[in-house]
């Protein structure tokens, strides 16, 4: 359920205020517009995305970028455009829905962002959909277990299985990517008609502006062990749907517990730090941010509703009430050469 932004005297707001007084100025703008836009569900959601991004940013650099974006806005329409942009380029790419790869419209931008995006388009490399090596190596690093439940993988070596109690239950783990591997699919050919390339470049340009080294994940590197974990299938689904996340060493989730054996804490370790590195804490922190912002703002619920409605929608309503569903789903199901429908006509976005 969507949650109102905390008041300025809350511990969360005081924490970001102590970090930088500009954060409080930006947050107060979000609070003001939250009250002003209360009658509009979409605009309210966009403003809350910005507010909760300030509170739950994975690091000071990301929070600083979000603060600058908010302080550069003059009108509520500009601010909601920024929130909508982050929903489509930060939250949506991380949130799975039946394996669909979202391809939203071209993002609003100022020239500096377009420069970054153009550079990314040139450098971005297609990733292989075969990540067997990553899966195998992650299992070795993770001691042949699901890192969230601690349950042994059924494919563990016989020498390990022989030491277990005969009644031990095993699972077949899967390889979960922190930064979604689909970001690097469909980026060839490098042409203006390739909307998937354009969308992926927008996502990566935002991450680059947030301070992430996107080259470490380019092409085959998206299957790097720093970007993958071994998890049981239900846990994998919860992780990809932004229902489960890691906060420091704690395992947390929204809604129902995804598996009865979920541990309270996880400690990532490796027998070989050089060749089998542990998952990158900065990537796990970014995933956790997406989870929290998506659920607290209502974005997660909204995206799920859109796709559920799309599944039920056989004929579009004559009165146009199904237009939002149509727009969102068209963006998600675009083929690489389809024209790009626009969800909104944004003002210049300063990120």
């Amino acid at each position: 359920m969507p949650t109102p932004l905390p008041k300025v005297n809350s511990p969360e707001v005081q924490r970001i205020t102590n970090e930088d007084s500009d954060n409080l100025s930006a947050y107060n703008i979000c609070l003001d517009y939250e009250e002003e836009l209360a009658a509009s569900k979409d605009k309210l959601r966009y403003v809350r995305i910005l507010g909760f991004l300030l509170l739950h940013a994975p690091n000071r650099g990301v929070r600083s970028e979000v603060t600058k974006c908010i302080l550069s806005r003059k009108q509520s329409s500009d601010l909601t455009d920024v929130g909508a942009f982050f929903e489509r380029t930060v939250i949506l790419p991380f949130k799975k829905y039946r394996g669909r790869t979202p391809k939203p419209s071209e993002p609003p931008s100022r020239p500096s962002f377009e420069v970054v995006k153009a550079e990314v388009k040139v450098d971005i490399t297609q990733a292989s959909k075969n990540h067997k090596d990553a899966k195998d190596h992650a299992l070795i690093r993770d001691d042949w277990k699901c890192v969230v439940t601690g349950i042994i993988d059924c494919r563990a070596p016989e020498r390990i299985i022989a030491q277990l109690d005969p009644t031990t239950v095993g699972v077949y783990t899967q390889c979960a990517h922190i930064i979604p591997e689909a970001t690097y699919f469909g980026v060839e050919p490098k042409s203006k008609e390739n909307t998937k390339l354009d969308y992926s470049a927008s996502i990566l340009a935002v991450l680059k502006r947030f301070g992430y080294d996107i080259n470490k994940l380019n092409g085959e590197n998206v299957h790097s062990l720093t970007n993958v974990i071994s998890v049981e299938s239900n846990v994998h689904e919860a992780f990809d749907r932004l229902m489960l996340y890691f906060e420091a060493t704690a395992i947390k989730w929204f809604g129902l517990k995804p598996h009865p054996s979920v541990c309270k804490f996880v400690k990532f370790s490796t027998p070989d730090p050089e060749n089998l590195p542990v998952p990158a804490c900065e990537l796990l922190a970014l995933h956790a941010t997406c989870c929290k912002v998506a659920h607290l703002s209502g974005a997660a619920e909204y995206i799920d509703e859109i796709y559920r409605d799309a599944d039920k929608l056989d004929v579009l309503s004559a009165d146009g009430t199904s237009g939002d569903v149509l727009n969102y789903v068209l963006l998600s199901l675009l083929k690489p050469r389809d024209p790009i429908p626009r969800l909104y006509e944004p003002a210049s976005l300063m990120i």
Side-chain angles (χ1 to χ4, degrees), residues 44-84:
L44 181 61
R45 186 178 73 254
Y46 297 148
V47 168
R48 284 176 173 168
I49 285 173
L50 295 175
F52 284 118
L53 263 176
L54 283 172
L55 296 178
H56 299 291
N59 56 57
R60 294 184 65 166
V62 172
R63 185 175 293 112
S64 176
E65 283 295 317
V66 176
T67 291
K68 290 175 184 176
C69 289
I70 294 171
L71 294 180
S72 69
R73 301 300 89 198
K74 303 300 182 184
Q75 305 293 331
S76 64
S77 59
D78 296 336
L79 194 70
T80 55
D81 278 348
V82 178

Side-chain angles (χ1 to χ4, degrees), residues 91-104 180-183 185 196 199 203 237 240-241 303-313 325-326 328-334:
I91 296 174
L92 188 60
F94 276 83
K95 184 167 173 57
K96 173 187 175 183
Y97 186 88
R98 298 187 182 176
R100 292 171 175 168
T101 302
K103 307 173 184 66
E181 56 182 334
T183 305
F185 293 164
K196 180 57 172 69
Y199 177 61
I203 298 169
E237 190 73 9
D240 282 357
R241 288 177 179 263
I303 294 169
D304 286 339
E305 285 177 358
I306 288 293
Y307 284 124
R308 280 197 298 268
D309 289 347
D311 288 339
K312 299 175 184 176
L313 197 61
V325 176
L326 175 62
Y328 219 88
V329 174
L330 278 176
L331 293 176
S332 221
L333 302 180
L334 276 177

Side-chain angles (χ1 to χ4, degrees), residues 6-300:
K7 301 302 181 184
V8 292
N9 60 353
S10 67
E12 305 102 304
V13 179
Q14 289 303 306
R15 177 177 56 85
I16 68 169
T17 301
N18 294 337
E19 186 179 283
D20 188 330
S21 59
D22 283 346
N23 294 337
L24 178 60
S25 299
Y27 189 77
N28 276 325
I29 292 174
C30 293
L31 283 177
D32 290 342
Y33 280 125
E34 181 184 41
E35 183 175 352
E36 179 181 320
L37 301 173
S40 172
K41 287 180 61 176
D42 287 343
K43 292 180 179 179
L44 181 61
R45 186 178 73 254
Y46 297 148
V47 168
R48 284 176 173 168
I49 285 173
L50 295 175
F52 284 118
L53 263 176
L54 283 172
L55 296 178
H56 299 291
N59 56 57
R60 294 184 65 166
V62 172
R63 185 175 293 112
S64 176
E65 283 295 317
V66 176
T67 291
K68 290 175 184 176
C69 289
I70 294 171
L71 294 180
S72 69
R73 301 300 89 198
K74 303 300 182 184
Q75 305 293 331
S76 64
S77 59
D78 296 336
L79 194 70
T80 55
D81 278 348
V82 178
F85 177 65
F86 282 137
E87 181 178 64
R88 287 155 177 78
T89 57
V90 179
I91 296 174
L92 188 60
F94 276 83
K95 184 167 173 57
K96 173 187 175 183
Y97 186 88
R98 298 187 182 176
R100 292 171 175 168
T101 302
K103 307 173 184 66
S105 59
E106 183 175 352
S109 59
R110 67 174 180 178
S112 61
F113 176 77
E114 286 301 319
V115 170
V116 175
K117 180 177 168 182
E119 292 172 350
V120 170
K121 275 189 177 182
V122 172
D123 295 336
I124 188 171
T125 304
Q126 179 85 9
S128 167
K129 293 185 180 181
N130 182 2
H131 55 254
K132 185 179 184 302
D133 286 346
K135 176 180 175 57
D136 292 344
H137 292 156
L139 264 177
I140 296 172
R141 179 199 64 194
D142 297 333
D143 198 23
W144 300 92
K145 297 174 183 177
C146 165
V147 299
V148 171
T149 65
I151 300 176
I152 194 77
D153 188 285
C154 293
R155 291 157 294 194
E158 184 59 35
R159 59 179 173 77
I160 295 178
I161 294 178
Q163 300 175 25
L164 302 175
D165 186 289
T167 61
T168 298
V169 175
V171 296
Y172 287 96
T173 62
Q174 299 175 352
C175 183
H177 288 71
I178 306 169
I179 300 295
E181 56 182 334
T183 305
Y184 293 89
F185 293 164
V187 297
E188 300 290 350
K190 300 290 182 64
S191 67
K192 292 183 179 179
E193 291 77 23
N194 188 344
T195 56
K196 180 57 172 69
L197 169 64
D198 195 71
Y199 177 61
S200 292
S202 295
I203 298 169
L204 296 172
V206 171
L207 294 182
K208 187 172 182 178
R209 288 299 299 268
F210 278 176
Y212 292 91
D213 186 352
I214 59 175
N215 290 325
K216 288 184 177 180
L217 296 170
N218 199 11
E220 294 298 320
N221 291 337
V222 75
H223 303 313
S224 164
L225 291 185
T226 60
N227 191 46
V228 298
I229 54 176
S230 304
V231 288
E232 182 270 343
S233 59
N234 286 334
V235 173
H236 189 184
E237 190 73 9
F239 185 82
D240 282 357
R241 288 177 179 263
L242 299 182
M243 300 297 293
L244 178 143
Y245 62 97
F246 301 93
E247 189 169 74
T249 59
I251 301 171
K252 299 187 176 183
W253 60 88
F254 290 96
L256 297 175
K257 193 174 185 179
H259 191 283
S261 299
V262 170
C263 303
K264 290 184 178 180
F265 302 98
V266 62
K267 182 179 180 180
F268 293 105
S269 60
T270 176
D272 186 348
E274 183 176 350
N275 297 306
L276 300 173
V278 296
C281 58
E282 63 268 21
L283 299 184
L284 289 172
L286 176 61
H287 178 271
T289 291
C290 291
C291 286
K292 287 181 276 191
V293 173
H295 284 274
L296 294 172
S297 68

